[in-house]
Structures are given as structure tokens and as C-alpha cells.
Amino acid sequence: MMNLMHWRLLVAVADHGSITAAAEQVGMTQSAASQAMASMEATLGAQLFTREPRKTLPTALGLSVIEQARVMMGALQAIRTTVDEARPLLRGSIRIASFPMVMATFLTPLLQRFRQLNPGIEVTTLDVTDSEVHTLLDAGLIDLGVVLNPKPERHATVLGRDQWMAVLATNHPLAQRAADASVSLEELLEQPFVLATGGCTANARSLATAAGLSLRDIRVQVREWNSAYSLVREGVGVTLVPEMALPTQRNGLRVMPLTVALHREFALVGSHTQPPSAAVSALLKMLAD
């Protein structure tokens, strides 16, 4: 039975030309080394070295075996190097904050995969509003946060993007247009309006301001998208929602694109008060790949 010590001894004998010197290098007695060499040759059924009074030299077959042994030892060293480099990732933690919709739709499956690849890293997630994400990032209380429409100077890892869609009751005059028709932002904002925020600072009001327009007749403001759909069905007003938040059941609703599409982008941004840890870097690399 041959083990790693036998192969280390084999290479050492080839390098030193002496069993005595090789035994000292690998931490064996001379007699134990001689027995190990004899045992290896007996197991292989071949002579690997010729013993001379002052020199132990490899046979032709021994040279081939030694070459393969060096490959084996090199592979073992590569394995050790790989493990040593990854050692900081064997333990660690990551704190991530996101608003719930992106967490459920995008992050949860990605984090499940990351946990499978890095079982020693603890990932903690927080469901918060997008304004709270910025507060937590600025305070250095989280490692990563999902932000909407990140600024160019922030090093952001984009998770996805969607566009804003108009939602009207099916009996609304604007909803009577052809199946492939659109509605302009300006004419939508002129209607009685149900302002839905989804807990985000990016909503119909901020979009109107950015376009130099205003919401003229806000009938009610709600946080939950589903509440807005119920109110739209009842004829309280129209609304503007991100594509990701559209309901699966659309009875009584007409969903229309804007004539000039407006998009929102959501991305992971790191804390700007502290450099990313090895664990955070590993997660960002997985997302980039």
C-alpha cells in the first residue's frame, strides 16, 4: 500500500541521489526509508532505482514514474494553494438590504445559489424601502443595498430593469384605444390619479417632476400595488406602476405602455464607508459571472 509519504520519498531520492539524504528531508529514519522504497518497488512489481555504494540512481522505468510523481506533487501543491487562497471565504457574513419586490424576484434565487457555493458565509437580508437602503448604506450598517437608478459614480452591479406601465379601468376612455396603443405620460397624469408608491421614492410623482409635469388630481395615495389595482377597478382613478409589479389577474384592468418609455434600473451598491470584504467580493464576482 502506497501513500503520499512514499511518493514524496521517491521524488526526494531522485533529487538527492541518496536514500539517507532523502530520508532526512521527508522526516524518516534511513532504515524506514529503505524499507519504504523496497515496499514501493514490491507493490509496483518493478525496480525503480539501482543502489550503488555512494549513489542511488533511477532506472529508465524509474525516471518515468518519478516524472508522474512530480506531476502528482505539483497538483497537490496547487490544491493547497487554492484552499489557502479561499480560506477567508470559508467564514464570513454579508448584510444586504432591498425593497421586497426585488428581493423576492431577483435576489432570493441568487442568494440561494451563493449559499450553496459558500456554506460558511452567513447572508442576512433586510426588507426595507429604497430610502432606508441609502440610510443604511451611509451609516455603514449593511454591506450591500439594492438601489433604484444608481448614480454613475457608484460602483453598481445591475440586477435588472423594467419599464413603467399605465394601468386603467377597462371602461376608462383612454382604455378604449386599439390593442397596441400607448398613452402619453402627460395625458395620463391629467386623469384622476391613484398614486401608488410600493414604498419607493421613485413613483409617478417623481417621474412627473423629472418630466416637468405635475399630478393634477391625486384622489388617494397608497403604498401597496394591489390596493391601487382595486381602486383603479372601482373607477377611482388611473395609476402608473413598474412592469415588475403588474398583477397576474387583470380582470377589469387595461395595462398600456407609455408612448415614450420610462425605465427604472435596480442594482446592488456597496457601502462607501468601508471596502468590500472577501465574502462581498465573492458574491459580486458570482453575479458578474
Side-chain angles (χ1 to χ4, degrees):
M1 186 72 177
M2 291 181 291
N3 56 36
L4 180 60
M5 182 63 78
H6 286 94
W7 297 112
R8 289 180 59 200
L9 177 63
L10 178 75
V11 172
V13 171
D15 288 341
H16 292 280
S18 162
I19 292 180
T20 302
E24 183 178 347
Q25 178 180 322
V26 300
M28 300 174 68
T29 63
Q30 194 276 338
S31 60
S34 295
Q35 292 177 5
M37 290 295 297
S39 173
M40 177 179 284
E41 290 179 322
T43 300
L44 292 174
Q47 185 177 350
L48 302 179
F49 289 90
T50 56
R51 280 77 168 170
E52 298 180 3
R54 295 187 177 182
K55 203 76 171 172
T56 302
L57 300 173
T59 62
L61 177 60
L63 289 172
S64 297
V65 172
I66 292 163
E67 182 179 352
Q68 294 301 313
R70 292 189 191 279
V71 172
M72 184 193 310
M73 300 304 293
L76 177 61
Q77 183 57 49
I79 291 171
R80 285 175 172 159
T81 300
T82 298
V83 172
D84 289 341
E85 290 176 350
R87 199 171 301 283
L89 296 179
L90 298 181
R91 292 288 181 269
S93 63
I94 305 175
R95 295 158 299 175
I96 303 176
S98 171
F99 39 102
M101 187 163 292
V102 171
M103 181 68 74
T105 306
F106 287 91
L107 273 182
T108 296
L110 291 172
L111 294 180
Q112 287 175 345
R113 175 60 178 155
F114 182 74
R115 288 185 177 105
Q116 291 170 353
L117 294 171
N118 303 276
I121 297 178
E122 180 183 1
V123 180
T124 303
T125 58
L126 303 172
D127 283 346
V128 298
T129 66
D130 64 330
S131 60
E132 289 171 336
V133 169
H134 288 285
T135 300
L136 292 169
L137 281 171
D138 291 342
L141 296 176
I142 56 174
D143 300 296
L144 296 167
V146 174
V147 301
L148 287 173
N149 304 320
K151 296 178 180 179
E153 63 269 19
R154 297 297 291 266
H155 297 295
T157 300
V158 176
L159 297 173
R161 69 198 302 256
D162 61 3
Q163 60 180 327
W164 292 90
M165 306 292 287
V167 181
L168 312 89
T170 51
N171 60 0
H172 190 283
L174 293 177
Q176 307 312 306
R177 296 178 179 177
D180 59 349
S182 61
V183 58
S184 72
L185 179 64
E186 185 173 8
E187 61 185 336
L188 186 72
L189 298 180
E190 290 176 346
Q191 307 300 313
F193 209 88
V194 175
L195 177 57
T197 66
C200 296
T201 53
N203 53 58
R205 177 180 278 134
S206 66
L207 293 172
T209 300
L213 303 170
S214 63
L215 284 163
R216 300 187 179 183
D217 185 8
I218 299 176
R219 296 296 173 91
V220 64
Q221 177 174 332
V222 294
R223 175 189 173 96
E224 301 301 327
W225 306 113
N226 286 334
S227 300
Y229 302 138
S230 297
L231 293 168
V232 170
R233 285 190 180 96
E234 293 170 9
V236 174
V238 302
T239 194
L240 186 66
V241 304
E243 188 176 13
M244 190 192 304
L246 288 172
T248 53
Q249 298 298 325
R250 301 183 185 180
N251 296 336
L253 299 176
R254 170 79 190 274
V255 176
M256 301 177 69
L258 295 177
T259 303
V260 178
L262 293 175
H263 294 90
R264 66 172 193 167
E265 192 173 72
F266 29 95
L268 270 179
V269 169
S271 169
H272 52 74
T273 62
Q274 53 194 10
S277 65
V280 169
S281 297
L283 174 59
L284 294 178
K285 182 179 184 303
M286 188 197 81
L287 296 177
D289 293 342

